[in-house]
Amino acid sequence: MQKQTKWNAKKIISTIILFFCSIAFLLPFIWMLSTSLKIEADVFKYPIEWIPSRWNAVNNYQEVWFGDHPFYLYYWNSIKVAVCTTFVSVVVSSLAAYGFSKVRFRAASWLFIIVLATYMVPPQASLVPQFILYRYLGMFDTHIGLILLGSFSVLGTFMLRQFFIGIHHDFIDAAKIDGAGHWRIFWRIALPIVKPAVATYAILRFIWTWNDYQNPLIFLRTDALYTIQLAMQKFTTINGSFYTLIMAAAVSAILPLLIVFILGQKHVIDGIALGGVKG
């Protein structure tokens, strides 16, 4: 009884500490959201007005979305690039992970080591060859080129391979006895089993692509093709003294990430739980 009381006390104390830590982490976002709703004169008022006394939300967000640099265009560009990149990357990484884990062929281990070795090469080291190749192929300053840049992920292949390894070979052997080939086994048996892991990687891939600044900066030149990250940099440079507009643009930029994570957090938890199951 005494041990249980001590355990409950520790649990309550840890919950309170975590609650205040979460509030501390959320304060910058709350301030950003609050600032995006204010007029410029109230941004640095002290004490801070967490709930604005004078609202200017409509004008701020209207200027961001439909002003001289319309965010709706950059939003569409980012959504198109992020969704297509995520889809292609998930398909390619899943097929590669299944091949390395369930298809028996000579030199499979060595080939996988070579693939992993490419992860040690900094992405900046391959920018110049990629730039030259894309210029030669005519895919420079296009969204297709940007999508292809993220279509293969060593980390995604490695991560999904670990989950495919967890599928018992008896399932694969039973399917082969019934006449199924690797293509059918992959789509009908293996992929549904590791669905939480695939969903987890898809969420991470979407977030990485949405937040990517380097590749769009190097491989895009036309303003109409800019993604949200390049648009944010340009918008901040032009409107550097208007904090309400900058915060409104920042809120708009991170909103899809919050939505994706809230909708996909169940799959992330299921993927973690699946990774903890052995055999």
Side-chain angles (χ1 to χ4, degrees), residues 92-106:
V92 172
S93 296
S94 299
L95 288 170
Y98 175 83
F100 282 123
S101 60
K102 296 302 177 186
V103 180
R104 298 183 179 93
F105 59 95
R106 288 185 178 181

Side-chain angles (χ1 to χ4, degrees), residues 4-236:
Q4 187 175 3
T5 304
K6 288 183 178 179
W7 170 252
N8 290 334
K10 289 181 180 179
K11 189 175 182 181
I12 292 172
I13 293 172
S14 61
T15 302
I16 294 173
I17 293 173
L18 289 175
F19 173 77
F20 282 106
C21 287
S22 64
I23 294 297
F25 282 116
L26 285 174
L27 278 178
F29 175 75
I30 296 173
W31 184 86
M32 178 176 65
L33 179 61
S34 174
T35 302
S36 70
L37 307 176
K38 297 177 181 178
I39 64 172
E40 193 66 34
D42 292 345
V43 172
F44 295 108
K45 277 185 81 172
Y46 188 83
I48 298 174
E49 291 184 345
W50 297 103
I51 300 177
S53 58
R54 294 183 289 181
W55 291 68
N56 196 36
V58 175
N59 292 333
N60 290 340
Y61 282 92
Q62 186 176 10
E63 176 64 26
V64 169
W65 282 83
F66 304 103
D68 295 333
H69 304 284
F71 262 50
Y72 71 86
L73 174 62
Y74 306 129
Y75 244 69
W76 166 244
N77 292 338
S78 287
I79 290 173
K80 179 171 64 173
V81 171
V83 170
C84 292
T85 301
T86 300
F87 176 78
V88 175
S89 181
V90 166
V91 172
V92 172
S93 296
S94 299
L95 288 170
Y98 175 83
F100 282 123
S101 60
K102 296 302 177 186
V103 180
R104 298 183 179 93
F105 59 95
R106 288 185 178 181
S109 298
W110 286 104
L111 185 59
F112 184 65
I113 291 173
I114 293 173
V115 171
L116 284 181
T118 62
Y119 191 64
M120 294 185 291
V121 180
Q124 293 79 8
S126 59
L127 278 177
V128 174
Q130 286 175 341
F131 183 87
I132 296 173
L133 179 63
Y134 275 55
R135 286 292 295 266
Y136 178 76
L137 296 176
M139 290 189 295
F140 177 74
D141 198 24
T142 65
H143 284 159
I144 295 178
L146 206 58
I147 291 168
L148 289 178
L149 280 172
S151 61
F152 176 73
S153 170
V154 177
L155 183 60
T157 301
F158 174 77
M159 184 181 103
L160 294 179
R161 176 181 175 271
Q162 302 309 112
F163 286 95
F164 277 115
I165 288 176
I167 301 175
H168 206 281
H169 280 285
D170 289 346
F171 291 105
I172 310 299
D173 295 335
K176 288 181 179 179
I177 292 174
D178 290 337
H182 279 296
W183 185 254
R184 190 173 182 182
I185 293 172
F186 171 76
W187 286 109
R188 296 293 183 87
I189 299 175
L191 196 61
I193 292 176
V194 299
K195 184 179 177 181
V198 174
T200 301
Y201 172 65
I203 293 170
L204 294 175
R205 180 77 263 180
F206 182 89
I207 293 173
W208 293 335
T209 306
W210 185 273
N211 288 330
D212 186 22
Y213 178 75
Q214 177 180 277
N215 286 332
L217 178 66
I218 301 298
F219 293 93
L220 293 180
R221 286 292 178 269
T222 305
D223 184 88
L225 297 177
Y226 277 7
T227 60
I228 198 73
Q229 303 305 325
L230 292 183
M232 273 294 301
Q233 176 62 33
K234 184 176 181 179
F235 189 84
T236 303

